[in-house]
């Protein structure tokens, strides 16, 4: 996959009507500060197209990135950020659920988990919720450059067990710094595009 053009086309807030597209959409979910923007930038070969932030909870909208006029990367609001009110978090939940239920073009959901830690209750809930909505998320274990190579197997086992993954569920170790896992992700996207 070669990404030639990237365009932040639509930004939807809580009250927005979500756009209906005919080309495939790929959604990226994960808790605040897990590296969703960094992942999108790495996939798109851009330094700072998707805004990264040192303060978690920044993505409070659903952002649609048009890729090559052929697909959309859909950046969902980060969940589980404590400094945001419960009411606000509930609204984001409704927004994400509405998206999962109503997008006719959604091909796959990528769930980002920080590979250095055990999955949180929020991560597990998100995984279960995505499955409940009829998708099997592809797990992206971010920040893999922070681990030693000898820790990879142990940490992926911890993630698989903590989320309750099935043996066939895909888990990709990824680093926005070193681009580890990027080619594997391109392959997954290519396979979905060929379906």
């Amino acid at each position: 996959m070669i990404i030639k053009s990237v365009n932040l086309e639509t930004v939807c807030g809580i009250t927005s009507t979500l756009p209906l597209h005919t080309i495939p959409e790929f959604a990226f979910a994960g808790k605040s500060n897990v590296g969703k923007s960094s992942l999108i930038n790495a996939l798109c070969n851009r330094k700072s197209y998707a805004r990264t932030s040192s303060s978690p909870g920044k993505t409070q909208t659903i952002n649609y990135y048009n890729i090559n006029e052929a697909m959309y990367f859909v950046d969902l609001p980060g969940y589980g950020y404590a400094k945001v009110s419960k009411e606000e978090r509930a609204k984001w939940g409704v927004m994400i659920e509405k998206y999962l239920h109503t997008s006719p073009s959604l091909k796959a959901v990528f769930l980002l988990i920080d590979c250095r830690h055990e999955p949180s209750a929020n991560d597990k809930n998100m995984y279960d919720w995505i499955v409940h909505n009829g998708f099997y998320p592809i797990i992206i274990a971010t920040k893999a450059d922070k681990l030693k190579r000898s820790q990879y197997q142990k940490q992926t086992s911890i993630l698989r067990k903590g989320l309750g993954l099935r043996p066939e569920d895909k888990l990709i170790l990824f680093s926005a710094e070193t681009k580890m896992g990027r080619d594997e992700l391109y392959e997954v996207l290519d396979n979905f595009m060929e379906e």
Side-chain angles (χ1 to χ4, degrees):
M1 170 178 285
I2 296 165
I3 293 182
K4 293 177 178 159
S5 68
V6 183
N7 176 26
L8 175 56
E9 196 172 277
T10 314
V11 176
C12 292
I14 285 156
T15 56
S16 306
T17 303
L18 299 178
L20 296 176
H21 296 126
T22 52
I23 60 174
E25 292 176 1
F26 297 94
F28 295 87
K31 68 181 174 196
S32 301
N33 226 16
V34 76
K36 279 197 288 57
S37 299
S38 299
L39 170 86
I40 290 169
N41 287 331
L43 285 176
C44 295
N45 270 322
R46 302 293 193 277
K47 276 273 190 281
S48 55
Y49 198 83
R51 282 174 312 219
T52 57
S53 170
S54 54
S55 54
K58 261 300 195 237
T59 306
Q60 301 180 17
T61 51
I62 298 180
N63 299 333
Y64 291 81
Y65 295 90
N66 186 324
I67 310 296
N68 292 346
E69 300 292 327
M71 69 177 102
Y72 285 94
F73 288 169
V74 183
D75 185 7
L76 299 173
Y79 56 81
Y81 183 52
K83 283 192 184 170
V84 174
S85 72
K86 263 192 181 152
E87 195 179 298
E88 198 68 25
R89 287 205 301 270
K91 284 180 189 167
W92 294 355
V94 169
M95 194 157 69
I96 295 170
E97 190 164 25
K98 182 175 151 191
Y99 171 73
L100 293 178
H101 279 310
T102 60
S103 169
S105 304
L106 181 58
K107 287 270 192 189
V109 181
F110 293 89
L111 177 58
L112 281 67
I113 310 278
D114 187 328
C115 72
R116 299 169 298 174
H117 310 296
E118 278 190 42
S120 65
N122 279 326
D123 291 328
K124 175 71 175 134
N125 288 342
M126 191 65 180
Y127 172 80
D128 291 343
W129 192 33
I130 293 167
V131 171
H132 176 74
N133 279 285
F135 296 93
Y136 264 96
I138 293 109
I139 308 304
I140 302 177
T142 61
K143 310 191 183 187
D145 54 287
K146 311 275 193 232
L147 293 179
K148 293 189 179 88
R149 192 176 282 274
S150 59
Q151 296 173 291
Y152 290 169
Q153 202 171 345
K154 182 187 168 199
Q155 287 307 113
T156 52
S157 295
I158 287 170
L159 293 181
R160 282 190 168 279
K161 195 174 172 189
L163 290 170
L165 300 188
R166 305 173 310 165
E168 65 270 28
D169 286 339
K170 203 163 190 53
L171 186 150
I172 298 170
L173 278 167
F174 180 83
S175 163
E177 293 294 317
T178 66
K179 310 297 184 279
M180 172 189 180
R182 185 170 67 172
D183 288 345
E184 209 178 330
L185 270 170
Y186 284 154
E187 201 179 307
V188 170
L189 290 163
D190 281 336
N191 290 340
F192 275 112
M193 292 297 284
E194 284 162 17
E195 281 179 5

